[in-house]
Amino acid sequence: MPAIQLARLKIQSAELVTRFDDPAAFVRGLHDLLDFYADRTRKPGQSGEPPPLIKSYTVPRPVLRQIKTDLSPSVVMDRESALVLCDALWAEPYLEFRVLAVNILGLVPPDPPDDVLERINVWAVPGIEDRLLNALVKEGLIEVSKSTPERYLSQLEEWLAAEDDLSRRVGLKAISIMLADRDFENLPKIFRLLAPLVRTSPSQLRPDLLDVMQSLAKRSPNETAFFLRQNLSVMVDNDDTAWLIRNSARYFPEEVQNSLKTALREGR
């Protein structure tokens, strides 16, 4: 792998972006560019994170970051070409291609939002690795959540009400995006959508549920604690909600933690 010289990388990236409206040419050019910067000495998983489940060029992060930066103006100006390019990139079974597809999707103006949401639903399939699923939700949905919050909420409701775990995982991850927006104030809606899962705490969803509890505890600890206590009292011997409270209590201020511990002891 050659050392990254920023000036050279910018020239290479700028040349690649000239193929923005020709997906086949862009894909070929991206393969060439990634092959140029591929790190063939680093073994999968050597950096400390699990090795990818699909092929990877293992290029340094600045490479994709530069391409994304240079693509941004074209994506904003020509959303239709951007969406076509997204599809072409996602079709390539390489980690970097799919990461870049998600990067572009997150830049596409969401007017209408369904073009973006459709791709989230199509790309989030069983077997998708967590790093791509996380990127798909956290980057691909940013503009939709900001620009069309009501449509975002309705899609979120569909995900959480789905019967398959993957859709519900997407919904749980999508909640954290809304909670990070300080202008979003409809917490009662979020609590209502979460209630069925909080009462059952399915084992496959527990890591994502804990992430949501952490975001809620940061955003509104007293309301969230009341919500948890309320759901604990819905059923006798509610072990699932009790598990969630025990494992999320550390996210709350000390006085709120105490109230949750009292609720656990009293079973309400």
Side-chain angles (χ1 to χ4, degrees):
M1 178 193 72
I4 291 182
Q5 297 177 11
L6 187 57
R8 177 172 61 185
L9 175 58
K10 286 183 176 181
I11 292 172
Q12 293 168 313
S13 176
E15 195 279 329
L16 178 66
V17 171
T18 63
R19 312 178 196 182
F20 168 75
D21 57 358
D22 186 345
F26 189 99
V27 165
R28 289 194 300 271
L30 183 57
H31 272 295
D32 291 341
L33 181 56
L34 296 181
D35 186 66
F36 180 79
Y37 285 105
D39 187 348
R40 307 186 195 286
T41 63
R42 184 155 58 104
K43 296 179 181 180
Q46 196 171 18
S47 62
E49 62 180 348
L53 301 179
I54 58 177
K55 292 179 284 188
S56 172
Y57 282 101
T58 62
V59 298
R61 291 181 180 179
V63 176
L64 287 184
R65 188 161 57 237
Q66 183 64 49
I67 296 170
K68 176 185 175 182
T69 298
D70 292 339
L71 276 171
S72 180
S74 299
V75 172
V76 173
M77 290 178 61
D78 187 352
R79 72 184 306 273
E80 296 304 321
S81 295
L83 290 169
V84 173
L85 180 58
C86 279
D87 293 336
L89 291 170
W90 189 266
E92 294 293 302
Y94 285 84
L95 179 64
E96 291 85 359
F97 278 75
R98 294 188 175 181
V99 168
L100 187 58
V102 172
N103 291 158
I104 295 172
L105 190 65
L107 296 171
V108 170
D111 183 18
D114 288 354
D115 290 335
V116 175
L117 293 171
E118 178 184 355
R119 283 162 175 81
I120 300 292
N121 286 319
V122 170
W123 294 353
V125 296
I128 185 174
E129 53 187 294
D130 277 352
R131 77 186 80 196
L132 277 177
L133 183 61
N134 288 333
L136 194 56
V137 177
K138 293 178 181 178
E139 296 187 39
L141 288 172
I142 289 293
E143 290 302 317
V144 176
S145 67
K146 290 179 180 177
S147 302
T148 57
E150 291 305 316
R151 177 65 183 92
Y152 186 86
L153 268 177
S154 67
Q155 178 62 70
L156 196 156
E157 187 166 6
E158 289 180 32
W159 282 325
L160 292 177
E163 296 183 358
D164 63 290
D165 288 335
L166 181 57
S167 294
R168 291 187 289 179
R169 287 192 68 201
V170 171
L172 289 170
K173 291 177 185 297
I175 286 177
S176 295
I177 297 176
M178 297 222 77
L179 295 176
D181 181 359
R182 303 306 297 183
D183 292 330
F184 176 74
E185 298 179 345
N186 195 359
L187 291 183
K189 173 81 168 181
I190 296 298
F191 290 138
R192 182 179 67 79
L193 295 177
L194 280 174
L197 296 180
V198 166
R199 292 170 189 170
T200 57
S201 295
S203 58
Q204 306 93 321
L205 304 181
R206 285 183 172 183
D208 296 298
L209 275 168
L210 287 175
D211 288 342
V212 172
M213 289 303 113
Q214 185 174 16
S215 297
L216 281 167
K218 182 178 180 180
R219 180 69 184 268
S220 184
N222 290 316
E223 281 186 85
T224 304
F226 176 80
F227 165 69
L228 288 172
R229 293 194 302 269
Q230 190 178 45
N231 281 278
L232 181 66
S233 65
V234 168
M235 296 181 291
V236 177
D237 297 326
N238 189 347
D239 293 337
D240 295 311
T241 304
W243 180 93
L244 189 60
I245 292 175
R246 282 195 302 273
N247 286 273
S248 63
R250 64 186 184 274
Y251 302 137
F252 294 83
E254 185 175 355
E255 65 275 13
V256 180
Q257 289 186 37
N258 292 334
S259 75
L260 290 172
K261 291 174 183 176
T262 299
L264 285 173
R265 287 195 300 269
E266 298 177 354
R268 58 175 176 80

